[in-house]
Amino acid sequence: MSEGLKRDYEIGEEIGRGRFGAVFRCFAADSGEALAVKTIDKTQLTDPTDRQLVEREAKITLLAAAGNPHVVQIHAVYEDESSIHLVLDLLPGPDLFERISGRGGPIPEPEAAAIISQLMEALNACHQRGIAHRDVKPDNVMFDSLGRLRLVDFGSAECFGKGMTMSGVVGTPYYVAPEVVEGREYGEKVDVWSAGVILYLMLGGIPPFYGETATEIFEAVMRGNLRFPRRIFSSVSTAAKDLIRRMLCRDASRRLSADQVLRHHWIVGGGGALHLT
């Protein structure tokens, strides 16, 4: 293990394991702050592309996190002969997926608005820096010890410039935008679509586009037949449904941007202060 890492941090127990290594609890030697260290085993990076992906994820996360309180922070990076070590925020969970599934029902509008507002703050900052996350889903939305939302896992993220588009089918079936499924070039608004799916899921308890297999889900996404079943959404405000429609607009040119979502009246009104009829 890196001498610098052992000097600066006390390493604790393993708290997670991934494709290339493990995550350990650690404590800063100077302050005692509890953090996490992601140790990546370089012997597992047998393909040069894997090494590039790991390094790229770290660089994009650093860029996305700079001054952004709603993105996981990388506090330090160390490397030794056998491993790469990333010191990150300790996010004990639960993630948003666990939070939704553990409720046993829809999340109240004010709580959902607070979550989406923080998520869109994170995405808006990323988009302004030319970064698209491209895998926005509840599993990648964590909460710190203060309950503040943190967007994590930039392994699928891509950098884009002004007027530039992206390509490649990435993401998770339930949350992927139709332009991605179609194999077309696309922009950062794919993240807004994914966040719209999350909002629908929080308020309704079910995904807006469903299928038993990835193929069936993609077909449902492509059809884009957005419905609000009365038995589920009867108590959901018109304002909330209006925002969902604008986020899940198949025409990306008409879909709201992250900044526009933040200025929507349902978000501004705290998801309950404004119930339009």
Side-chain angles (χ1 to χ4, degrees), residues 34-149:
L35 296 164
V37 57
K38 182 178 182 179
T39 295
I40 299 161
D41 183 356
K42 291 197 289 189
T43 64
Q44 299 296 313
L45 306 178
T46 53
D47 186 332
T49 304
D50 291 337
R51 172 67 184 248
Q52 292 170 4
L53 288 174
V54 168
E55 292 178 346
R56 187 167 170 277
E57 179 181 354
K59 290 176 181 176
I60 289 180
T61 304
L62 282 167
L63 177 60
N68 188 339
H70 297 301
V71 170
V72 63
Q73 306 287 309
I74 295 182
H75 295 262
V77 179
Y78 300 88
E79 185 170 3
D80 52 44
E81 289 185 3
S82 63
S83 304
I84 300 170
H85 310 276
L86 307 178
V87 180
L88 307 158
D89 292 322
L90 178 65
L91 302 173
D95 62 30
L96 183 54
F97 180 81
E98 294 167 325
R99 192 161 166 177
I100 294 171
S101 59
R103 291 298 286 263
I107 289 178
E109 289 191 41
E111 184 180 344
I115 291 170
I116 286 295
S117 178
Q118 293 178 75
L119 176 57
M120 300 315 296
E121 290 280 4
L123 291 174
N124 189 41
C126 289
H127 294 171
Q128 289 179 348
R129 291 170 184 157
I131 299 168
H133 186 280
R134 301 203 303 175
D135 194 18
V136 176
K137 58 183 178 180
D139 317 56
N140 287 336
V141 176
M142 302 287 292
F143 299 90
D144 63 20
S145 58
L146 300 176
R148 182 171 52 186
L149 181 146

Side-chain angles (χ1 to χ4, degrees), residues 186-204:
Y186 51 84
E188 70 278 10
K189 286 185 180 180
V190 295
D191 289 341
V192 176
W193 175 281
S194 301
V197 174
I198 291 175
L199 179 54
Y200 186 105
L201 182 63
M202 285 195 292
L203 295 180

Side-chain angles (χ1 to χ4, degrees), residues 189 249-256 260:
K189 286 185 180 180
C249 178
R250 281 185 50 81
D251 183 351
S253 67
R254 295 173 53 236
R255 189 181 306 154
L256 296 185
Q260 288 172 325

